[in-house]
């Protein structure tokens, strides 16, 4: 079975994300499923953004409800892009790829180091 262009692009985004996290010191192999999900969302965002631009960047459309009233509403494509932006930002925070997420991870790591007893610390040093 051949690998599609979409799958190649998602793998490339995932590799770049892992490289970025490694450089920041936040990468753990246990994060792989979350990174894959993040990469798929980033790919979807790229595809939908290109479709949005190619379609004239239309943000709203007229909608007539059951009562016959006509209103403006966001297009389905724009609403999907907005939701993906929120989801991507939240995932970047969880993975430590944003300043806020990085700060939270660093603070959690410092707390865990402070809680280490003297005995645990000594044993930890011997294990190195």
């Amino acid at each position: 079975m051949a690998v599609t262009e979409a799958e190649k692009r998602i793998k490339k985004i995932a590799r770049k994300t892992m490289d970025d996290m490694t450089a920041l010191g936040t990468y753990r192999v246990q994060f792989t499923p979350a990174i894959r999900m993040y990469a798929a969302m980033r790919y979807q965002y790229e595809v939908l953004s290109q479709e949005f631009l190619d379609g004239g960047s239309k943000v709203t459309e007229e909608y007539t409800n059951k009562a016959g009233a006509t209103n403006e509403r966001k297009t389905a494509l724009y609403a999907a892009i907005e939701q993906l932006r929120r989801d991507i930002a939240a995932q970047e925070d969880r993975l430590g790829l944003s300043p806020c997420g990085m700060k939270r991870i660093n603070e959690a790591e410092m707390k865990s180091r402070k809680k280490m007893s003297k005995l645990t610390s000594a044993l930890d040093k011997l294990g190195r």
Side-chain angles (χ1 to χ4, degrees):
M1 188 165 153
V3 177
T4 65
E5 287 302 315
E7 292 168 329
K8 287 179 188 177
R9 181 68 184 129
I10 290 168
K11 285 181 182 180
K12 185 175 180 180
I13 293 168
R15 272 194 307 273
K16 170 91 170 83
T17 302
M18 288 179 200
D19 291 345
D20 290 347
M21 291 176 70
T22 299
L24 292 168
T26 59
Y27 176 74
R28 307 286 183 278
V29 72
Q30 296 86 348
F31 297 161
T32 302
I35 293 169
R36 286 185 185 143
M37 183 174 55
Y38 170 75
M41 285 191 298
R42 286 276 311 272
Y43 175 74
Q44 291 170 352
Y45 179 77
E46 289 175 9
V47 170
L48 292 178
S49 292
Q50 190 59 53
E51 189 177 323
F52 179 70
L53 292 172
D54 292 345
S57 304
K58 191 172 178 183
V59 176
T60 61
E61 63 188 359
E62 283 191 357
Y63 169 74
T64 304
N65 63 21
K66 292 179 184 177
T70 302
N71 302 305
E72 286 283 316
R73 70 174 181 184
K74 292 180 186 176
T75 63
L77 183 58
Y78 185 74
I81 290 171
E82 274 189 320
Q83 185 60 50
L84 273 171
R85 283 181 188 147
R86 286 189 290 270
D87 293 345
I88 288 168
Q91 196 70 357
E92 286 174 346
D93 282 348
R94 288 184 201 107
L95 295 173
L97 294 169
S98 68
C100 177
M102 186 69 183
K103 181 181 177 191
R104 183 180 42 78
I105 288 172
N106 286 339
E107 286 175 353
E109 189 173 318
M110 293 311 258
K111 278 184 180 179
S112 69
R113 286 185 183 178
K114 286 180 184 177
K115 290 181 182 178
M116 192 180 296
S117 70
K118 290 181 182 180
L119 176 61
T120 306
S121 178
L123 291 173
D124 187 49
K125 288 179 183 176
L126 288 174
R128 290 183 192 174

